[in-house]
Amino acid sequence: MNPSDRDATGLLTRPDEFVQLVTPTGERRADADFDPWVSDIDTAALGRLYRDMVIVRRLDTEATALQRQGELGLWPPLAGQEAAQIGSARAMRDDDFAFTSYREHGVAWCRGVGPAELLTVWRGTAASGWNPFERGIAVPQIIIGAQSLHATGWAMGAAWEGSDAAAIAYFGDGATSEGDVNEALVFAASFNAPVVFFCQNNQWAISEPVGLQSKQPLARRADGFGMPGIRVDGNDVLAVLAATRIALDRARRGEGPTFIEAVTYRIGPHTTADDPTRYRTEVELAEWRERDPLTRVLALLEASGVDSAGLEREVAVEADRAAAELRSACIAIADPEPLSVFDHVYAEPNSHLERQRAHYVRYLATFEETDAAPAGDAGTGTEGGAR
Amino acid sequence: MTTLTLAKSLNAGLRRALADDEKVVLIGEDIGTLGGVFRVTDGLKAEFGPTRVVDSPLSEAGIVGTAVGLAYRGFRPVIEIQFDGFIYPAFDQIVAQVAKLHYRSRGTVRMPITIRVPFGGGIGAAEHHSESPEAYFAHTAGLRVIACSNPADAFIMIRQAIASDDPVLFFEPKRRYHVKGEVDEQASLADARPMGVATVVTPGDDVTLVAYGALVQTARDAAIAAEEDGVSIEVIDLRSLAPVDYATIEASVRRTGRLVITHEAGQQGGVGAELAASITERCFEFLEAAPVRVTGHDIPYPPAKLERHHLPDLDRILDGVDRALGRPNSLSGVEA
Ligand SMILES: Cc1ncc(C[n+]2csc(CCOP(=O)(O)OP(=O)(O)O)c2C)c(N)n1
């Protein structure tokens, strides 16, 4: 993993360059700085990265279908961002900690989050699906950019405790406009926190193009905050893996935060409630489809003498199995008990809430007595907007 | 009269405001090309151009903070906060800056900023998409807080908010966006019911029931249901949460002697608490029973599958009415 004792900092001042190790057509490009960081990735290991990407794409497709079939309330698809998520998350150690937004299903997959754990939130049965401390990944964040501060604080704490674990904060291009992200960058730099800011620039913040958030490559912002910034092909799993390894290595050595801009593309809608045809063109979409993160890995494996067709079949079977598991886990998620609305509001007893809860128990009991169920829907209800 | 959804009537109101005053500018995330996630600003950028209808960078503090500067410059910014739960990043700019500048500048600086907030639950949304943050703002001196409940009001109230020289938090009941109603698109502001005035939407004699936003319809449904039970409920659409039109509520309570207030927001420190206290102070000798609040629980907004156990619905409102009337109810036999 760590190719030499060389100081990694020098490698991470390429904010204008587009670091790429595998081209869209699957050619391996030599890069003297980055190659050593992925020298352990032989064809077997590359096959495993390919497998990860295929599976999370398949899980994503299945979850989208589950939403369309009414089993999930909402789903934010990751399609197109597999390499950015798998490459970065596979660079993490078990004791590192990921702080993500709502789209990082691939990161969750790498952290061992199970199918039901992944879906409870989107099925609307619970506010969170997994125990962050068991998985090494915080509960997903919807408030844009808030998690970047949390990652920074976690990293500050890790450093103060003398640990060499690091945090990764995942956020989008739009998030870089929020105060929280900018404040996180200030804190991380000031306290030399072992944190990696991993920005997936997927070109769009719902309907707003990245150009509305920034007039220059996002990686260049790093310099202003006093940390190295690097711009990497986010559809190139090998380049992302190398860059994240370098950044994590810097963090572990006490060299502080790094900003990575992974240039990628959101192929699908922002969420299943969004209509991207209102704001982007077919031409743009077609261009990005050419740069698909999965096909190029398969082409590279083929060129390296691997039976790529065989691998593709084998992995597809595995992915279908994972998707079937996701589907059955989703449908098996039970509706929560009514009174669980009162659980976990406070860690300590709270008399006010106890009283409110007791009242609601009595209220529900009035229906049992009259043998009538409480009115089904709270409201007349309308369709949710595009979130 | 035209039949419009609430979302479309807001769109019509915004169009009128943009046409009537070139200092009116709309700013928000996704409001331009996309027309807003609820399409409330649909078509307005195409009609008025990108300096009147502005897609902003993804920063709520940025949107409100720059609106302050625009107001200094004589503009009348109309901001969209995409969802209730995303107003908090802008909270400091709203309560520490927007609310106070007129006072701090001894009346020389006007902050005619309208902050549109789709609010409330009942649409099965994800976290942070169903909040009722109105009390934070009603608590802050210098802000006006209003909530519309139907298309006709929405068309007038959004224009009144924009025309007001005070900053206005304008709450839109998102679960009613697609509900249709009659709208008089020729309605003039001069003839309209003032922004701060409540409306008696269902006259009645036994209980005064105050609601705002999405719950006005639920309250009306409750009044219809109660009628079958021989109970006559007077439903008041509060419309203005700060300041409150106490005259209308007082007049009603003096006749009915009973007050029930309902809102989706939690009870503690909510708008209902303020109404209960103020009406008790003003009408104590007319009250036959203590005011009753039927509200959301004091919990974070729950996951979608549980929201029906949080939001006041027709049955919970009727139970509250029974409490106010001393009829059998969920608290019968229990010390209050
Ligand atoms: C504070 C806040 N404001 C607005 C939103 C609504 N919203 C959800 S996602 C989104 C766009 C985010 O874009 P980006 O940061 O690029 O991430 P992406 O969704 O593209 O991964 C917006 C505006 C939100 N969730 N939080």
Side-chain angles (χ1 to χ4, degrees):
Chain A
M1 164 101 53
N2 183 7
S4 67
D5 289 331
R6 63 199 287 194
D7 175 0
T9 310
L11 307 181
L12 284 163
T13 46
R14 295 163 61 166
D16 295 323
E17 279 175 56
F18 186 58
V19 177
Q20 189 184 62
L21 302 182
V22 184
T23 68
T25 47
E27 281 105 55
R28 183 70 167 80
R29 274 168 64 161
D31 186 310
D33 290 335
F34 281 68
D35 284 346
W37 293 85
V38 285
S39 61
D40 61 317
I41 305 295
D42 54 13
T43 51
L46 193 61
R48 286 194 294 276
L49 291 170
Y50 171 73
R51 169 185 172 273
D52 279 334
M53 293 196 290
V54 172
I55 291 177
V56 299
R57 175 169 294 184
R58 184 69 188 81
L59 292 175
D60 186 61
T61 313
E62 194 67 16
T64 304
L66 283 163
Q67 195 282 334
R68 300 292 183 220
Q69 292 155 7
E71 298 293 344
L72 298 177
L74 188 76
W75 181 254
L78 69 72
Q81 300 180 222
E82 294 87 352
Q85 296 191 16
I86 299 298
S88 57
R90 285 295 182 215
M92 294 179 76
R93 236 168 42 189
D94 279 354
D95 61 340
D96 293 336
F97 213 96
F99 289 83
T100 73
S101 81
Y102 40 80
R103 202 187 298 287
E104 279 75 36
H105 320 303
V107 178
W109 162 258
C110 293
R111 302 307 279 170
V113 168
E117 292 180 320
L118 188 64
L119 295 189
T120 40
V121 166
W122 305 107
R123 195 165 164 82
T125 56
S128 70
W130 60 81
N131 178 336
F133 304 107
E134 277 171 10
R135 300 283 180 243
I137 172 171
V139 296
Q141 180 62 248
I142 285 181
I143 302 298
I144 299 301
Q147 73 278 13
S148 53
L149 281 163
H150 308 162
T152 303
W154 189 97
M156 286 160 58
W160 291 342
E161 285 176 352
S163 151
D164 73 342
I168 303 191
Y170 286 89
F171 51 87
D173 42 296
T176 61
S177 296
E178 292 280 4
D180 279 3
V181 171
N182 290 278
E183 290 168 33
L185 293 167
V186 170
F187 269 67
S190 295
F191 292 100
N192 211 41
V195 53
V196 178
F197 294 102
F198 193 87
C199 175
Q200 291 175 85
N201 173 3
N202 68 3
Q203 312 302 321
W204 292 92
I206 309 189
S207 73
E208 302 189 335
V210 62
L212 184 60
Q213 321 291 339
S214 184
K215 291 292 171 213
Q216 56 170 5
L218 291 166
R220 274 217 229 158
R221 293 205 182 170
D223 186 46
F225 288 98
M227 69 184 73
I230 183 164
R231 194 156 205 252
V232 62
D233 181 348
N235 286 7
D236 172 357
V237 73
L238 217 49
V240 173
L241 180 68
T244 316
R245 281 177 169 183
I246 295 170
L248 283 169
D249 185 60
R250 284 194 73 235
R252 298 194 204 296
R253 290 160 177 266
E255 288 164 19
T258 305
F259 187 103
I260 297 173
E261 176 191 359
V263 181
T264 180
Y265 194 76
R266 156 166 68 76
I267 293 288
H270 168 69
T271 68
T272 45
D274 174 41
D275 173 13
T277 62
R278 277 190 165 240
Y279 54 81
R280 67 181 194 194
T281 63
E282 279 300 323
V283 177
E284 178 184 306
L285 193 59
E287 267 172 30
W288 280 95
R289 282 191 193 281
E290 298 283 293
R291 303 173 212 169
D292 189 272
L294 275 64
T295 48
R296 72 176 74 180
V297 173
L298 206 58
L300 177 60
L301 284 167
E302 169 90 32
S304 320
V306 173
D307 167 17
S308 67
L311 177 70
E312 197 178 2
R313 271 194 308 275
E314 195 184 307
V315 172
V317 169
E318 216 184 321
D320 282 341
R321 204 162 43 226
E325 213 182 300
L326 185 86
R327 170 169 290 269
S328 49
C330 173
I331 291 163
I333 297 170
D335 278 3
E337 288 300 317
L339 292 173
S340 67
V341 291
F342 295 101
D343 294 346
H344 310 301
V345 180
Y346 298 95
E348 290 172 20
N350 181 288
S351 58
H352 170 75
L353 203 60
E354 292 299 326
R355 187 172 180 275
Q356 221 169 54
R357 183 181 191 282
H359 182 188
Y360 194 62
V361 169
R362 283 192 296 274
Y363 170 75
L364 289 179
T366 62
F367 289 94
E368 281 152 28
E369 282 156 22
T370 60
D371 212 24
D377 257 321
T380 41
T382 63
E383 291 299 301
R387 293 174 287 277
Chain B
M1 288 283 185
T2 335
T3 304
L4 293 177
T5 63
L6 195 148
K8 289 222 161 71
S9 78
L10 287 167
N11 182 274
L14 291 168
R15 178 176 291 104
R16 265 288 274 281
L18 282 161
D20 286 353
D21 182 351
E22 63 181 19
K23 287 297 185 188
V24 171
V25 287
L26 272 46
I27 309 173
E29 296 160 7
D30 301 296
I31 68 163
T33 308
L34 187 67
V37 294
F38 290 107
R39 311 287 185 253
V40 170
T41 53
D42 204 11
L44 297 178
K45 180 180 164 196
E47 203 172 321
F48 294 94
T51 58
R52 302 291 307 282
V53 182
V54 183
D55 271 327
S56 79
L58 199 47
S59 165
E60 291 74 17
I63 297 169
V64 177
T66 53
V68 169
L70 284 162
Y72 261 107
R73 181 75 199 174
F75 284 85
R76 306 185 88 84
V78 184
I79 286 160
E80 176 179 294
I81 299 292
Q82 196 162 79
F83 273 88
D84 36 46
F86 312 146
I87 199 167
Y88 306 114
F91 194 73
D92 168 62
Q93 285 292 337
I94 298 171
V95 304
Q97 305 300 327
V98 173
K100 294 178 170 55
L101 270 161
H102 189 253
Y103 190 74
R104 286 174 55 214
S105 68
R106 302 164 69 79
T108 53
V109 181
R110 294 271 155 97
M111 284 289 130
I113 300 175
T114 301
I115 304 176
R116 295 182 36 239
V117 191
F119 85 126
I123 61 164
E127 262 190 305
H128 308 292
H129 290 76
S130 301
E131 314 249 309
S132 297
E134 59 272 19
Y136 296 115
F137 303 104
H139 186 68
T140 300
L143 300 176
R144 297 189 70 136
V145 182
I146 65 180
C148 61
S149 70
N150 63 74
D153 271 5
F155 178 67
I156 287 292
M157 286 169 74
I158 188 65
R159 289 162 58 206
Q160 289 173 323
I162 295 168
S164 169
D165 275 343
D166 286 319
V168 179
L169 271 292
F170 188 87
F171 284 98
E172 303 169 3
K174 70 172 89 77
R175 91 167 109 132
R176 313 258 334 143
Y177 268 144
H178 302 300
V179 176
K180 290 181 175 161
E182 296 275 283
V183 177
D184 176 6
E185 288 194 84
Q186 307 314 319
S188 82
L189 284 187
D191 302 334
R193 170 182 293 274
M195 180 167 79
V197 169
T199 315
V200 175
V201 289
T202 309
D205 303 318
D206 300 332
V207 182
T208 301
L209 172 59
V210 179
Y212 56 86
L215 285 187
V216 171
Q217 186 57 48
T218 319
R220 297 176 78 155
D221 295 343
I224 292 167
E227 213 172 81
E228 290 170 19
D229 249 359
V231 175
S232 166
I233 298 179
E234 176 146 304
V235 178
I236 293 179
D237 181 351
L238 191 61
R239 293 169 90 248
S240 178
L241 285 50
V244 169
D245 167 19
Y246 282 111
T248 299
I249 305 171
E250 263 180 73
S252 176
V253 169
R254 279 166 204 259
R255 277 192 302 103
T256 64
R258 298 171 203 274
L259 174 66
V260 177
I261 308 133
T262 187
H263 52 63
E264 294 186 13
Q267 188 174 81
Q268 185 165 293
V271 168
E274 178 60 32
L275 285 174
S278 293
I279 290 298
T280 304
E281 283 171 358
R282 291 160 191 248
C283 305
F284 185 66
E285 62 274 34
F286 295 90
L287 283 169
E288 308 278 347
V292 169
R293 286 170 288 166
V294 181
T295 68
H297 306 302
D298 288 309
I299 60 174
Y301 197 86
K305 297 250 167 156
L306 284 170
E307 64 181 343
R308 72 190 175 90
H309 290 290
H310 172 66
L311 296 173
D313 59 9
L314 187 141
D315 289 312
R316 275 176 68 194
I317 292 174
L318 289 178
D319 180 71
V321 168
D322 286 339
R323 262 182 278 154
L325 284 164
R327 291 162 46 121
N329 65 78
S330 61
L331 286 174
S332 295
V334 178
E335 273 178 64

